[in-house]
Amino acid sequence: MSDTTHLFLSPHSDDVALSCGGLVARLRARHEHVVIATFYGGAGSLAQLTPYQREALGFGERRVTLSPTDVMEERAREDRAYAAALDAWVVGVGLPDAVFRGYEGEAALMGEARSDDPAPASAMAELLHTVKPEVAYVPLSIGGHVDHR
Ligand SMILES: [Zn+2]
């Protein structure tokens, strides 16, 4: 049994599962503590997805009647199921995903963060203060998505 706590900073649900899943499994096999913090798992206040949001979130033209909140909650449920299978923890920071913060189009999503969209420094500080990890992993920059910067 180890008392080492590993904190993974995940922009979206499933980013850690897909980019660091093997490492998380190895750490848990050694009984080390793993906390996955998902930063941008929040939805907007819209009643229904805009056409761009439908496309960006992968629904395209399929006939689904999910609200933005339904979509983001389903993604969070999938991430919790992944973490539960490995006996790890998921913490949701709850900031809205870029598609709910007004980023539209591939160039905007893959570009620089707007000046009115600052990095979540206070959420990061609170997380570090609360979790007190010995090791932090920041697999954020993979792909260049604005939420990964
Ligand atoms: Zn992501």
Side-chain angles (χ1 to χ4, degrees), residues 2 20 29 40-41 55 59 61 72 75 79-80 102 106 108 145:
S2 168
C20 306
Y40 295 107
E55 190 66 37
F59 292 99
E61 296 301 317
M72 300 312 279
R75 293 178 74 184
D79 220 27
R80 286 193 302 271
E106 194 74 12
H145 187 284

Side-chain angles (χ1 to χ4, degrees), residues 47-63:
Q48 55 186 290
L49 298 172
T50 66
Y52 177 73
Q53 290 165 345
R54 294 178 59 82
E55 190 66 37
L57 294 169
F59 292 99
E61 296 301 317
R62 282 180 282 160
R63 295 177 58 85

Side-chain angles (χ1 to χ4, degrees), residues 11-15 75 145 147-148:
H12 305 112
S13 295
D14 80 17
D15 283 332
R75 293 178 74 184
H145 187 284
D147 287 347
H148 287 230

